[in-house]
Amino acid sequence: MLYRQMPKSGDKLSILGFGAMRLPVKEDGSIDEERAARQLRHAIDRGVNYVDTAWPYHTGASEPFLGRALADGYREKVKVATKLPSWLIESREDMDRFLNAQLEKLNTGHIDYYLVHALVGDLWDNVKKLGVTDFLDSAKADGRIINAGFSFHGAGEDFNRIVEAYDWDFCQIQYNFLDEKNQAGKDGLEYAASKNLGVIVMEPLRGGNLTKNLPQAVKEIWDEAPVKRSPAEWALRWVWDHPEVTVVLSGMNEEVHVQENLRIAEQAYPDSLTGAELQLVKRVEIKYRELMKVGCTGCQYCMPCPAGVNIPLCFEHYNNLYLVNNPEGERFMYAARLGGAVALGEPEFASLCVQCGQCAENCPQHIDIPTVLGSVVEELEGPDLEQRAAMAREMFKQI
């Protein structure tokens, strides 16, 4: 395992961080705790020493899971990161209430890396007005948190002013080869580093969209490389190639992914990709932009939908319609997965959208979700939707 140093604390952190937002789950959607704990502990045994969670992950179950999984001496081997749910804060007292609850959930006396979560400009203005800087100072002084930071999902013009507004130890940004100019982007990465902040990177694979359902046109570009690497390895190495990056979070939930990421994290030095390799990645970026219809990462911040729409799954199939050369198959799978055939449940189709706009307000990617859902209806539903859903239910034996 390779390590990089946090500029202010001097902590040597594993370049691979274990993200606890997409843990393996059982059929009922609950965390498969036995499997997830085994994956987490294996990663720690191999040198991972940074574990990231948050109040809403797995609908509130992620933090308590980690409190249990990090027993038996594993808590002492890692730095734990969790986050203040900024959108739920209505008073200065709320901040202490959430932090104290998180300490209890995580079964720990302190949070090593504590972030003000999912900031955009307006959210920052609100929590600052309510006294978040005093809260952070107090929590650091009494030892409940060690390092203070923020995670960012806003417009680039708000990033610098948030960096300047407090003596932060670190920040967390979305960064991958499709997001150099999105949110904080490359400019934000370099600005944070220039201010001596450690930088944690989330969504290096864009919620897995850079690795699954690989379009043939993208595969052909990757296949040109003299050194053969998986799409995940290319994407991770591209992020780690930036010396400003301290840790890259990966939401690992398959054993094979854990093993692959651990292997890559033993080799991914900064500035190690050649000019030809960087140009290859650029060509893949351009091809993806030609093919993708919506920039959803599957982060779930738009959920739950009051009308029952499974927004991330709708967008996954909408992108697949253009990324995978099987439109009829994709329409069938849309009807199957959103119609309750694969897993028992109520329909979750895009056509259930009532245009309330709540999802768009919460989207870190600033997608006009109701409008895009309208396009999903046009291209994936149609008059034979219920017929396809019924066929799927028959096939999956759930009628």
Side-chain angles (χ1 to χ4, degrees), residues 20 27 97 101 180 186-187 231 234 262:
E27 289 186 3
R97 179 170 60 85
E180 279 194 278
K186 185 176 182 179
D187 288 345
W234 279 112
L262 289 169

Side-chain angles (χ1 to χ4, degrees), residues 158-317:
D158 288 320
F159 182 76
N160 289 10
R161 71 182 182 91
I162 295 174
V163 168
E164 295 287 351
Y166 182 71
D167 184 19
W168 305 102
D169 299 296
F170 72 112
C171 65
Q172 183 169 310
I173 64 172
Q174 177 170 316
Y175 197 60
N176 55 68
F177 65 72
L178 283 182
D179 286 322
E180 279 194 278
K181 297 182 180 179
N182 187 33
Q183 298 186 24
K186 185 176 182 179
D187 288 345
L189 170 67
E190 294 177 346
Y191 187 74
S194 77
K195 296 297 182 178
N196 217 29
L197 271 63
V199 180
I200 312 296
V201 166
M202 57 185 158
E203 301 290 4
L205 308 180
R206 260 198 168 215
N209 288 318
L210 300 179
T211 62
K212 59 188 179 184
N213 299 318
L214 203 65
Q216 183 61 31
V218 170
K219 182 179 183 300
E220 289 173 359
I221 298 173
W222 287 139
D223 286 346
E224 292 179 24
V227 178
K228 302 307 176 187
R229 296 174 176 138
S230 70
E233 181 166 358
W234 279 112
L236 288 169
R237 280 182 175 268
W238 184 89
V239 179
W240 276 319
D241 202 57
H242 294 73
E244 301 90 350
V245 171
T246 311
V247 175
V248 174
L249 298 175
S250 180
M252 300 172 278
N253 51 36
E254 298 286 346
E255 286 74 12
V256 65
H257 297 160
V258 177
Q259 291 298 107
E260 180 182 27
N261 288 357
L262 289 169
R263 176 185 60 78
I264 302 165
E266 295 174 349
Q267 307 165 2
Y269 290 92
D271 296 319
S272 60
L273 294 181
T274 68
E277 289 172 330
L278 291 171
Q279 187 57 39
L280 190 79
V281 177
K282 187 66 178 178
R283 288 174 55 203
V284 169
E285 175 209 337
I286 293 168
K287 181 55 64 177
Y288 266 118
R289 293 196 186 284
E290 292 174 0
L291 296 171
M292 291 178 70
K293 299 296 288 186
V294 56
C296 176
T297 69
C299 70
Q300 303 277 333
Y301 283 98
C302 58
M303 298 292 283
C305 166
V309 180
N310 189 327
I311 298 165
L313 194 55
C314 286
F315 288 172
E316 177 182 326
H317 285 285

Side-chain angles (χ1 to χ4, degrees), residues 43-216:
I44 295 170
D45 290 340
R46 289 279 302 275
V48 169
N49 69 358
Y50 189 92
V51 180
D52 173 88
T53 184
W55 181 270
Y57 292 176
H58 285 277
T59 61
S62 178
E63 289 174 325
F65 159 73
L66 283 181
R68 294 184 288 271
L70 292 175
D72 305 322
Y74 277 87
R75 172 65 182 93
E76 291 71 30
K77 297 179 180 182
V78 299
K79 304 296 185 183
V80 170
T82 195
K83 308 175 185 77
L84 178 74
S86 59
W87 60 95
L88 298 177
I89 301 301
E90 297 180 353
S91 68
R92 169 67 176 79
E93 292 72 27
D94 281 346
M95 302 174 197
D96 286 300
R97 179 170 60 85
F98 278 109
L99 173 56
N100 292 336
Q102 290 171 303
L103 290 167
E104 184 174 349
K105 286 182 174 186
L106 287 159
N107 191 29
T108 187
H110 68 276
I111 308 298
D112 300 286
Y113 286 84
Y114 197 66
L115 303 95
V116 185
H117 196 181
L119 289 185
V120 297
D122 290 345
L123 265 181
W124 168 248
D125 292 338
N126 183 59
V127 295
K128 184 180 180 184
K129 178 181 66 177
L130 294 173
V132 73
T133 58
D134 173 70
F135 160 72
L136 293 172
D137 285 341
S138 298
K140 290 181 75 172
D142 63 30
R144 286 178 295 165
I145 68 175
I146 308 302
N147 299 281
F150 68 95
S151 67
F152 185 76
H153 282 295
E157 56 265 25
D158 288 320
F159 182 76
N160 289 10
R161 71 182 182 91
I162 295 174
V163 168
E164 295 287 351
Y166 182 71
D167 184 19
W168 305 102
D169 299 296
F170 72 112
C171 65
Q172 183 169 310
I173 64 172
Q174 177 170 316
Y175 197 60
N176 55 68
F177 65 72
L178 283 182
D179 286 322
E180 279 194 278
K181 297 182 180 179
N182 187 33
Q183 298 186 24
K186 185 176 182 179
D187 288 345
L189 170 67
E190 294 177 346
Y191 187 74
S194 77
K195 296 297 182 178
N196 217 29
L197 271 63
V199 180
I200 312 296
V201 166
M202 57 185 158
E203 301 290 4
L205 308 180
R206 260 198 168 215
N209 288 318
L210 300 179
T211 62
K212 59 188 179 184
N213 299 318
L214 203 65
Q216 183 61 31

Side-chain angles (χ1 to χ4, degrees), residues 305-347:
C305 166
V309 180
N310 189 327
I311 298 165
L313 194 55
C314 286
F315 288 172
E316 177 182 326
H317 285 285
Y318 188 38
N319 273 332
N320 287 349
L321 189 65
Y322 290 86
L323 295 174
V324 181
N325 188 26
N326 184 13
E328 288 309 309
E330 202 55 46
R331 290 186 179 97
F332 179 80
M333 288 307 300
Y334 173 86
R337 296 179 72 190
L338 278 300
V342 178
L344 290 172
E346 296 297 317

